[in-house]
Amino acid sequence: MSEHWKIPASRALRADGLRVADIDTSAKPGFHGRKKDGEQLLSERSKVLAALQEKLYANGRSGDNRSVLLVLQGMDTAGKGGIVRHVIGSVDPQGVDHAAFGIPTAKEKRHHFLWRIRKALPRGGQLGVFDRSHYEDVLVVRVHGLVPEAIWEQRYAEINDFEQELTESGTTLVKVAMFVSLDEQKKRLRERLERPDKYWKFSPGDIDERAYWPAYQQAYQDLLDRTSTGHAPWYVLPADAKWYSRLAVTELLIEALEKLDLNWPPANFDPAAELRRLDTA
Ligand code: AMP
Ligand code: MG
């Protein structure tokens, strides 16, 4: 932590009891400083994150089965892709298991909703990233009634069981729900329509989804109330300021990795003997 964080990001962003309707999407919980302080700090903390991730990867190479999985949820334009590019982009790609979840394919639809998720879980030593996740199955699926209520209703419990199983088998979950305001989303969608280099991020359906904003808010509320657990808590991230959201996720990942208390894996050879051999090789 630095002087700019008065409390750890994990404490500042905990979802407990929070009302989605009350989220100030421009707030910077826990952080005291200006944008330039945040950007400066991000460049320093990215190096800390990269060093910790290298240790996780090294341990994985030596058989440690532990992993960290960052789960990113948020409405269109919330900045999920920016987190992947700018936060995860600062670590060694060899140690990253990235997966993005879109509309299920015909094959995926024939399986249980967790089928495609299980296939994408990080291997030991990896930093996994889910850009959208199994939570879409209680968000877009619920909001648009893509399955009957009796089906999505039971998914909250299924997700909690699944995540408990995951944490017990050595995966630390870092679940981040990103929130932008309806106005900020409009600004970002406009930019996607005005800049040819951003067209690729736009889908006409993104505009239609805006009409469902209240239904999404309710779905997010239930998601936080029902799936923020002791073993896998949700963090609620105000995301109007991109520099803040990137810094905050960096801090959450650093905290999660520090908790693993990683050391460099010991040599499975005798370094002194190998050095002597090298001298005469
Ligand atoms: P993007 O993240 O912009 O590539 O968009 C992916 C789209 O896939 C979003 O509109 C999601 O709501 C949608 N999506 C993701 N998972 C599911 C799911 N399980 N069922 C239906 N739509 C989904
Ligand atoms: Mg999109």
Side-chain angles (χ1 to χ4, degrees):
M1 257 205 320
S2 83
E3 50 175 317
H4 293 294
W5 288 95
K6 301 285 183 253
I7 54 170
S10 64
R11 198 130 56 81
L13 299 173
R14 273 297 277 264
D16 312 300
L18 189 129
R19 309 315 302 161
V20 169
D22 296 340
I23 296 171
D24 172 1
T25 57
S26 66
K28 286 104 192 161
F31 185 78
H32 300 264
R34 297 167 177 280
K35 180 178 179 180
K36 72 168 173 27
D37 303 319
E39 286 172 341
Q40 164 71 28
L41 190 57
L42 178 60
S43 82
E44 289 164 25
R45 299 296 280 169
S46 296
K47 295 187 189 95
V48 174
L49 175 61
L52 284 163
Q53 180 266 344
E54 187 183 358
K55 240 182 214 175
L56 178 69
Y57 182 64
N59 279 280
R61 291 288 301 260
S62 306
D64 192 330
N65 72 340
R66 289 176 299 170
S67 61
V68 172
L69 175 57
L70 174 66
V71 173
L72 295 171
Q73 280 297 154
M75 301 292 287
D76 292 306
T77 77
K80 303 181 291 297
I83 297 290
V84 175
R85 202 159 45 250
H86 297 277
V87 176
I88 304 304
S90 69
V91 311
D92 183 348
Q94 292 180 94
V96 174
D97 271 345
H98 170 268
F101 296 96
I103 298 169
T105 61
K107 186 173 181 191
E108 286 169 349
K109 278 188 189 136
R110 287 197 296 274
H111 287 86
H112 186 267
F113 77 103
L114 292 174
W115 181 75
R116 64 175 183 164
I117 304 296
R118 288 184 185 278
K119 286 202 305 175
L121 289 171
R123 295 157 288 158
Q126 297 292 112
L127 172 57
V129 191
F130 281 0
D131 178 344
R132 302 186 190 269
S133 66
H134 41 299
Y135 285 101
E136 290 292 323
D137 290 279
V138 289
L139 289 168
V140 64
V141 168
R142 166 179 165 164
V143 166
H144 290 284
L146 302 181
V147 300
E149 177 168 353
I151 302 283
W152 60 252
E153 177 58 39
Q154 71 191 25
R155 287 182 174 169
Y156 296 96
E158 283 184 82
I159 287 173
N160 287 338
D161 289 347
F162 167 64
E163 291 185 350
Q164 172 142 23
E165 181 196 314
L166 268 184
T167 51
E168 281 167 4
S169 65
T171 299
T172 301
L173 282 148
V174 180
K175 304 193 292 189
V176 178
M178 304 177 71
F179 291 90
V180 284
S181 67
L182 201 50
D183 279 351
E184 179 65 22
Q185 189 195 53
K186 192 174 218 168
K187 225 171 80 191
R188 293 183 184 183
L189 286 175
R190 181 182 299 282
E191 196 174 53
R192 291 180 180 187
L193 287 167
E194 287 174 347
R195 285 180 44 179
D197 63 320
K198 298 215 169 194
Y199 290 166
W200 66 276
K201 296 186 185 184
F202 183 81
S203 311
D206 296 349
I207 294 178
D208 303 308
E209 285 303 273
R210 288 171 60 77
Y212 296 89
W213 198 266
Y216 274 107
Q217 293 239 330
Q218 187 56 56
Y220 269 102
Q221 186 69 59
D222 283 350
L223 173 152
L224 297 176
D225 291 345
R226 300 177 69 178
T227 64
S228 199
T229 55
H231 56 270
W234 272 105
Y235 298 107
V236 168
L237 183 61
D240 282 359
K242 291 178 182 173
W243 65 266
Y244 171 78
S245 58
R246 291 167 190 173
L247 177 61
V249 174
T250 301
E251 295 296 339
L252 291 173
L253 289 173
I254 288 173
E255 283 186 54
L257 284 159
E258 280 178 342
K259 270 212 193 114
L260 298 183
D261 203 12
L262 298 161
N263 291 306
W264 291 109
N268 57 5
F269 46 82
D270 176 354
E274 294 302 313
L275 272 172
R276 283 193 299 276
R277 257 164 34 82
L278 180 64
D279 279 342
T280 58

